[in-house]
């Protein structure tokens, strides 16, 4: 089958676009690798309609069911290569399979750099966070740790002073922090620990603290991660010659979300650049509307 649109990425932006395109009765395929940062988050707290939070996995399940009801097809696979063949795009999958579409939407997202502590992952979105705009409210007037790397961790700690004055910064990777930044940390009353973490202490989704390299323990129930170096998943875009910024985020038209390549759109975290679930939803719908306009034209 030749699809009207192939959506690469089954996260929040890709699903919202698929729902919109399905409601136009277009032939749509969503190719999803089965990973993504939304799967890691066990609770989003700032989404309209979910005052008690909702996990990324549950949100994706709901979104897929909704898209399938309007005829959208899904394929669990990873796109390895893409090329243009006349008016079509040909996508080669990791298993050697091939799919073709007249339009492409790149919704491949980003992936945070999270230290490989097994106990940390169940806590994500519950007691360990990555975004102060999303979850700074969760630690308002409470004690919180920031585990991070150098200036990225320091900036996160300083940002969180809007919500609380009880902050511990653990420079896990021991990257250098400039003296003027260290001075700002002191002025804000942020306790600074320049040590590696040996172990994350947790009970399921509840963080309990950290055991440091010197074997001392920090008892704390909430933390933020700030390591920088997030992976922007835009390699497929580069194969098509799509314009990207130096940080690899995809440049799109603000109105239509089309990229610099005709009939290729991008939405969500892979685009430049929001990293908010609610904005990803909006961009998915926005891209889908303009994809529809291009199809009927």
């Amino acid at each position: 089958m030749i699809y009207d649109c192939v959506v690469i990425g089954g996260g929040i932006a890709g699903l919202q676009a698929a729902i919109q395109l399905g409601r136009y009765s277009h032939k749509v395929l969503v190719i999803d690798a089965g990973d993504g940062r939304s799967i890691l988050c066990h609770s989003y707290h700032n989404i309209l309609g979910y005052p008690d939070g909702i996990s990324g996995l549950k949100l994706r399940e709901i979104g897929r069911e909704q898209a399938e009801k309007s005829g959208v097809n899904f394929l669990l696979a990873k796109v390895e290569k893409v090329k243009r063949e006349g008016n079509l795009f040909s996508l080669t999958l990791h298993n050697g399979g091939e799919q073709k579409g007249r339009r492409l939407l790149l919704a491949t997202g980003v992936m945070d750099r999270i230290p490989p502590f097994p106990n940390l992952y169940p806590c994500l979105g519950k007691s360990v966070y990555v975004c102060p705009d999303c979850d700074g409210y969760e630690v308002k007037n409470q004690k919180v740790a920031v585990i991070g790397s150098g200036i990225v961790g320091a900036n996160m700690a300083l940002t969180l002073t809007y919500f609380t004055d009880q902050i511990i910064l653990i420079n896990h990777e021991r990257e250098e922090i400039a003296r003027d930044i260290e001075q700002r940390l002191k002025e804000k009353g942020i306790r600074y620990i320049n040590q590696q973490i040996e172990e994350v202490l947790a009970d399921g989704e509840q963080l309990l603290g950290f055991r440091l390299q010197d074997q001392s323990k920090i008892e704390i129930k909430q933390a933020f991660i700030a390591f920088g170096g997030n992976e922007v998943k835009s390699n497929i875009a580069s194969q098509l010659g799509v314009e990207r910024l130096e940080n690899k985020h995809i440049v799109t038209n603000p109105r239509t979300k089309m990229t610099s390549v005709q009939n290729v759109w991008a939405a969500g975290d892979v685009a430049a650049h929001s990293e908010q679930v609610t904005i990803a939803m909006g961009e998915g719908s926005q891209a889908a509307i303009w994809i529809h306009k291009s199809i009927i034209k």
Side-chain angles (χ1 to χ4, degrees):
M1 180 183 292
I2 296 175
Y3 290 93
D4 295 320
C5 183
V6 177
V7 179
I8 305 177
I12 306 306
L15 285 170
Q16 186 66 63
I19 290 168
Q20 185 70 28
L21 289 167
R23 289 170 61 84
Y24 289 127
S25 298
H26 294 308
K27 296 176 182 177
V28 180
L29 174 66
V30 178
I31 303 177
D32 183 34
D35 55 15
R37 70 192 322 211
S38 56
I39 286 179
L40 295 178
C41 184
H42 296 282
S43 186
Y44 291 111
H45 303 104
N46 62 337
I47 299 176
L48 177 68
Y50 295 99
D52 298 321
I54 184 171
S55 73
L57 186 60
K58 183 62 177 177
L59 196 60
R60 287 169 70 128
E61 289 174 354
I62 294 170
R64 175 166 177 163
E65 289 174 5
Q66 189 173 350
E68 287 177 331
K69 287 180 180 178
S70 60
V72 174
N73 295 290
F74 283 80
L75 180 62
L76 182 62
K78 183 177 180 181
V79 177
E80 295 285 356
K81 296 179 182 179
V82 60
K83 62 181 178 179
R84 194 160 202 155
E85 296 179 347
N87 293 326
L88 299 178
F89 296 96
S90 177
L91 294 83
T92 302
L93 309 181
H94 73 287
N95 58 8
E98 187 176 77
Q99 298 291 338
K100 294 181 185 293
R102 296 183 176 88
R103 305 288 188 275
L104 285 184
L105 173 60
L106 306 177
T108 43
V110 304
M111 180 56 74
D112 298 275
R113 190 162 70 90
I114 300 173
F117 294 108
N119 287 348
L120 196 61
Y121 287 85
C123 299
L124 294 173
K126 291 290 189 178
S127 55
V128 176
Y129 314 107
V130 298
C131 174
D133 297 306
C134 302
D135 293 313
Y137 181 84
E138 302 302 316
V139 302
K140 188 175 181 180
N141 298 324
Q142 299 177 51
K143 186 177 178 182
V144 63
V146 174
I147 61 170
S149 179
I151 186 62
V152 179
N155 284 338
M156 174 70 84
L158 290 166
T159 299
L160 288 173
T161 59
Y162 179 81
F163 296 99
T164 181
D165 58 3
Q166 304 174 64
I167 302 171
I168 301 171
L169 170 60
I170 304 173
N171 188 9
H172 172 65
E173 293 187 334
R174 305 192 68 183
E175 290 289 328
E176 185 176 354
I177 297 176
R179 289 184 179 179
D180 63 319
I181 300 298
E182 279 200 54
Q183 182 59 35
R184 287 185 62 195
L185 295 173
K186 289 180 181 179
E187 291 171 357
K188 292 290 186 177
I190 297 169
R191 179 184 173 190
Y192 176 46
I193 299 173
N194 192 30
Q195 277 196 61
Q196 286 185 344
I197 295 167
E198 288 289 325
E199 183 183 5
V200 173
L201 308 174
D203 180 9
E205 64 188 30
Q206 178 58 62
L207 178 70
L208 299 177
F210 304 98
R211 182 168 60 82
L212 304 178
Q213 192 173 33
D214 66 0
Q215 301 306 307
S216 63
K217 290 183 180 180
I218 302 294
E219 294 184 2
I220 202 155
K221 292 187 176 181
Q222 296 187 97
F224 277 78
I225 296 171
F227 284 85
N230 292 354
E231 178 191 2
V232 182
K233 298 183 177 181
S234 61
N235 289 336
I236 292 297
S238 69
Q239 294 179 25
L240 293 167
V242 167
E243 181 184 358
R244 300 186 298 170
L245 301 177
E246 288 185 9
N247 61 12
K248 298 184 180 181
H249 283 280
I250 297 172
V251 178
T252 62
N253 181 298
R255 186 183 184 202
T256 68
K257 297 304 166 185
M258 187 187 285
T259 70
S260 60
V261 174
Q262 187 73 18
N263 292 334
V264 179
W265 282 258
D269 292 351
V270 75
H273 162 43
S274 59
E275 300 199 15
Q276 291 279 327
V277 170
T278 49
I279 294 174
M281 286 181 180
E283 290 189 351
S285 287
Q286 189 177 359
I289 289 168
W290 285 92
I291 290 169
H292 167 66
K293 289 178 184 293
S294 79
I295 291 172
I296 63 174
K297 183 179 180 181

